[in-house]
Amino acid sequence: MTNLAERVAAGDRRALGRLLSQIEREDPEAQKILAGLNIRPDRALVIGITGASGTGKSTLVNALTRVLRKGTTDEPPQTVGILAVDPSSPFSGGAILGDRIRMRDLAGDDGVFIRSMASRGHLGGLSRATDCAVRALDAAGFEIIIIETVGAGQDEVEIARQADTVIVLETPGLGDDIQAIKAGILEIADVLAVNKADLPGAEAAAASLEAMLNLEKKGEDGWRTPIVSTVAATGEGMQALAAAVFRHRDYLKRSGEWARREQERAGRNLEERLRERLFDRWKASAGENALADAVRKVASRECSMEEALERLLLKEDAAAKSKG
Amino acid sequence: MTNLAERVAAGDRRALGRLLSQIEREDPEAQKILAGLNIRPDRALVIGITGASGTGKSTLVNALTRVLRKGTTDEPPQTVGILAVDPSSPFSGGAILGDRIRMRDLAGDDGVFIRSMASRGHLGGLSRATDCAVRALDAAGFEIIIIETVGAGQDEVEIARQADTVIVLETPGLGDDIQAIKAGILEIADVLAVNKADLPGAEAAAASLEAMLNLEKKGEDGWRTPIVSTVAATGEGMQALAAAVFRHRDYLKRSGEWARREQERAGRNLEERLRERLFDRWKASAGENALADAVRKVASRECSMEEALERLLLKEDAAAKSKG
């Protein structure tokens, strides 16, 4: 067990893969291994990438990864861990088609690790699993972690909040110029990429995004969301995108946001996990059927919701006393 | 306290108003009063009405209420409690402009009670408050309760799930025929109303809704979502809408869905409340700062999330022992 934790820290890819599988299926063992992982004094930069389907996210993630692996004019080459998270899909990790194509594309590079994670039916679980997976990749020493999410709904916003720097992807010509920008998505963008910028309408799309940014982000705090035009398929604009990401990282560190976002994230994740564990503990102590029995009584109008709740809360106390 | 509960049950509108205010501001007193309320052997029919802004929801709720108050050919007059719920607004209840206009419109009718409820920043709270308010109106004897929600996002879907019968409102000519129908909204519709059916494009809108329903709801369970054309401003189609609602109620009762939905709702609400109370209890026992201290340690990388979590869980045990 500590053995697996040590192997993850030492960069053993099979051990990392096993840990991520345990995390994905919510195996309690994973919690013990995560508790035993080393904590690096510094942490990875976590990039979230989101956008509607058809915007070319996977291609862009690959192209960006290649640039990060080579290094830019200002930055040395970095190791990259990629988590492709799909809140809408019940398919599970590591073996979906897109992944295999990607793995071939980035194959043979020990500085890259790719992993898919899929929903197990509840978003809370996926967002928790994403947090754990990020920490596993961090402990394994990856310098940059990319979380790629499918779609741009509320679920994706939730997952993108696990990132330091959020890139929102747009493309011209998806019907309306700005149709694919959903409410709330622009707000979370630290960097906007207009991908497929060789298509007609790219300039108009960039201009309307610019206008929307000016409307929505007026009075922001020292960071002006840049709009970068890219053609991920040919690699065009990828250096500029990487540069924008690093500029944002520098801004985060300079302004104190780097620590603030980590604090916020730790707070959200820890509280979430605590609530879950308290409920699990209650269930273990009160008995599996206590809640179902109470629900039946409330639904059949034998007692009020409030009475049922008070009785359920007393149940654990009684159980704890009779044990103690 | 029991006094207020008794007054609510006796139909005292001021007492009901006070209880709803307590519920809205999450006053713990409200829980005691709710626990003391009488439980009617039968319960009210809860209608949820949702749709984008501009679809004429408030006008339709008023027009529908007038029909329900008069009775239809098959149904006697019914008393109606209206909850206007706005997840996006921080404004609080009872005094917003729309309400006052409405109150004038339905004024002097003791069989109608109208109340606004606004968000206090967290959706969980609003959905909980809606549940409590529905039960208060139920105990006060209203035969039909209408929950009107603004917009059609995830928040509204959450609130609409508190209803037995969900009416989704559409209008022709909001740009695209079907633009205003967001993913997930059609799924929750038990009745579709195409309001402002006197505008151009109404037939096309109804036809494309029909087509979407056929796509999405194939293989449904004995209920075919009807599409009703209405002009709420003139009252046109309101009898047909009321008839559709009652047909759905009869279907629910006949098929066992009436009890199943109540069971599901009670389960969701009771579990939610239990989780909240367990967390509150933990906070009271472990101390307000315990969580914040742990978050600081995790964020500054002094310890792992998992270690912090285990220590937090031990805190309550220790506190309980030293008290016991």
Side-chain angles (χ1 to χ4, degrees):
Chain A
M1 202 167 74
T2 31
N3 200 298
L4 188 60
E6 278 164 23
R7 279 165 57 203
V8 168
D12 179 334
R13 298 167 74 91
R14 281 191 54 196
L16 178 58
R18 249 179 66 193
L19 174 55
L20 291 174
S21 294
Q22 288 175 339
I23 289 171
E24 193 184 29
R25 65 170 182 265
E26 299 178 28
D27 186 333
E29 199 62 18
Q31 298 310 313
K32 295 185 196 152
I33 296 164
L34 283 166
L37 281 177
N38 64 321
I39 305 178
R40 289 161 51 197
D42 200 6
R43 65 178 177 85
L45 168 67
V46 183
I47 304 174
I49 301 192
T50 191
S53 74
T55 48
K57 263 192 315 287
S58 301
T59 313
L60 185 124
V61 168
N62 276 19
L64 181 62
T65 301
R66 276 194 300 267
V67 169
L68 297 171
R69 291 293 300 133
K70 271 187 204 141
T72 64
T73 43
D74 296 317
E75 298 286 334
Q78 318 240 355
T79 53
V80 182
I82 303 172
L83 286 173
V85 176
D86 187 350
S88 63
S89 159
F91 294 108
S92 113
I96 60 171
L97 181 67
D99 256 31
R100 269 176 293 170
I101 291 171
R102 256 205 293 208
M103 283 176 187
R104 201 173 55 202
D105 194 30
L106 297 164
D109 181 349
D110 274 350
V112 177
F113 188 93
I114 305 177
R115 174 76 193 200
S116 288
M117 301 227 296
S119 171
R120 300 190 90 69
H122 55 128
L123 174 65
L126 189 55
S127 143
R128 206 152 54 231
T130 303
D131 169 52
C132 291
V134 164
R135 286 184 293 113
L137 288 167
D138 189 34
F142 289 97
E143 292 161 306
I144 293 186
I145 298 166
I146 299 180
I147 307 175
E148 174 193 336
T149 64
V150 173
Q154 192 50 47
D155 300 356
E156 288 78 9
V157 170
E158 208 50 55
I159 289 163
R161 286 172 79 188
Q162 305 276 3
D164 298 300
T165 299
V166 175
I167 304 177
V168 172
L169 221 63
E170 267 300 310
T171 45
L174 284 179
D176 202 72
D177 283 342
I178 49 165
Q179 193 183 31
I181 284 280
K182 296 275 179 12
I185 282 292
L186 217 54
E187 268 170 46
I188 63 162
D190 299 306
V191 175
L192 270 167
V194 178
N195 194 32
K196 305 189 180 178
D198 51 345
L199 289 182
E203 275 176 41
S208 55
L209 285 173
E210 182 80 50
M212 288 174 76
L213 278 178
N214 283 339
L215 272 177
E216 290 216 2
K217 293 219 162 177
K218 208 167 268 176
E220 265 288 302
D221 44 4
W223 176 253
R224 226 187 122 71
T225 307
I227 301 176
V228 183
S229 292
T230 58
V231 186
T234 65
E236 203 185 307
M238 299 314 297
Q239 285 277 347
L241 185 61
V245 166
F246 289 125
R247 270 205 313 281
H248 186 250
R249 178 205 57 191
D250 294 344
Y251 155 76
L252 289 176
K253 293 195 170 176
R254 204 171 56 232
S255 64
E257 271 284 298
W258 178 259
R260 210 188 57 76
R261 288 195 186 196
E262 178 70 359
Q263 174 98 12
E264 214 179 87
R265 207 154 44 209
R268 208 165 45 230
N269 289 325
L270 188 55
E271 183 178 322
E272 231 282 304
R273 296 271 292 278
L274 179 59
R275 284 172 181 265
E276 202 58 37
R277 283 289 293 277
L278 289 170
F279 184 58
D280 288 346
R281 197 165 72 172
W282 177 87
K283 270 193 294 194
S285 143
E288 274 296 328
N289 297 324
L291 184 56
D293 288 344
V295 168
R296 219 167 6 248
K297 277 186 192 140
V298 171
S300 62
R301 303 176 85 76
E302 275 173 59
C303 75
S304 75
M305 178 78 74
E306 283 68 24
E307 278 176 82
L309 184 59
E310 297 309 325
R311 270 188 236 152
L312 287 176
L313 284 162
L314 286 175
K315 266 214 156 89
E316 189 184 37
D317 294 344
K321 266 179 203 154
S322 71
K323 271 184 206 163
Chain B
M1 205 167 72
T2 32
N3 201 296
L4 189 59
E6 277 164 24
R7 280 166 55 205
V8 168
D12 180 333
R13 297 168 74 93
R14 282 191 53 198
L16 177 59
R18 250 179 68 194
L19 174 56
L20 291 173
S21 295
Q22 289 175 339
I23 288 171
E24 192 184 28
R25 64 170 183 266
E26 299 178 28
D27 186 333
E29 201 61 18
Q31 299 310 312
K32 295 183 196 152
I33 296 164
L34 283 166
L37 283 178
N38 64 322
I39 305 178
R40 288 161 50 197
D42 200 6
R43 64 178 178 85
L45 167 68
V46 183
I47 304 174
I49 300 193
T50 191
S53 74
T55 48
K57 263 191 315 287
S58 301
T59 313
L60 185 124
V61 168
N62 276 18
L64 181 61
T65 301
R66 276 193 300 268
V67 169
L68 296 171
R69 292 292 300 132
K70 272 188 204 141
T72 63
T73 43
D74 296 317
E75 299 285 335
Q78 320 240 354
T79 54
V80 181
I82 302 173
L83 287 172
V85 176
D86 187 350
S88 62
S89 159
F91 296 107
S92 111
I96 61 172
L97 181 66
D99 256 30
R100 269 175 295 171
I101 292 171
R102 255 205 293 203
M103 283 176 187
R104 203 174 51 203
D105 194 31
L106 297 164
D109 182 349
D110 274 350
V112 177
F113 189 92
I114 305 177
R115 174 77 194 201
S116 287
M117 301 228 297
S119 172
R120 300 190 90 69
H122 55 127
L123 174 65
L126 189 55
S127 142
R128 207 153 51 232
T130 304
D131 168 51
C132 291
V134 164
R135 285 184 294 115
L137 288 167
D138 189 34
F142 289 97
E143 293 159 306
I144 293 187
I145 298 166
I146 299 181
I147 308 175
E148 173 193 335
T149 64
V150 173
Q154 192 50 47
D155 301 356
E156 288 79 9
V157 170
E158 208 51 56
I159 290 163
R161 286 171 79 187
Q162 305 276 3
D164 298 300
T165 298
V166 175
I167 304 177
V168 172
L169 222 62
E170 268 300 310
T171 45
L174 286 179
D176 202 72
D177 283 342
I178 49 164
Q179 194 183 31
I181 283 279
K182 297 274 178 12
I185 283 292
L186 217 53
E187 268 169 46
I188 63 162
D190 299 307
V191 175
L192 271 166
V194 178
N195 194 30
K196 304 188 182 178
D198 50 345
L199 290 182
E203 275 177 42
S208 56
L209 285 173
E210 182 79 51
M212 288 174 76
L213 278 178
N214 284 338
L215 271 177
E216 291 214 3
K217 293 220 163 177
K218 209 167 269 180
E220 265 287 302
D221 44 3
W223 176 253
R224 227 187 121 74
T225 306
I227 302 177
V228 183
S229 294
T230 58
V231 186
T234 65
E236 202 186 308
M238 299 315 297
Q239 286 277 347
L241 185 61
V245 165
F246 289 125
R247 268 205 314 280
H248 187 250
R249 178 205 57 191
D250 294 344
Y251 155 75
L252 289 175
K253 293 196 170 176
R254 204 172 54 232
S255 63
E257 271 285 297
W258 179 259
R260 210 189 56 76
R261 289 196 183 194
E262 178 70 0
Q263 173 100 10
E264 214 179 271
R265 208 155 43 210
R268 208 164 48 230
N269 289 326
L270 188 55
E271 182 177 323
E272 232 283 303
R273 296 271 293 278
L274 178 60
R275 284 172 181 264
E276 203 58 38
R277 284 288 294 276
L278 289 170
F279 184 58
D280 289 347
R281 197 164 72 172
W282 176 87
K283 271 194 293 192
S285 143
E288 274 295 331
N289 298 323
L291 183 56
D293 288 344
V295 168
R296 220 167 7 248
K297 276 186 193 140
V298 171
S300 62
R301 302 177 86 74
E302 274 172 60
C303 75
S304 74
M305 178 79 73
E306 283 70 24
E307 279 176 82
L309 184 60
E310 296 308 325
R311 270 189 237 151
L312 287 176
L313 284 162
L314 287 174
K315 266 214 156 89
E316 189 185 36
D317 293 345
K321 266 179 204 154
S322 71
K323 272 182 205 164

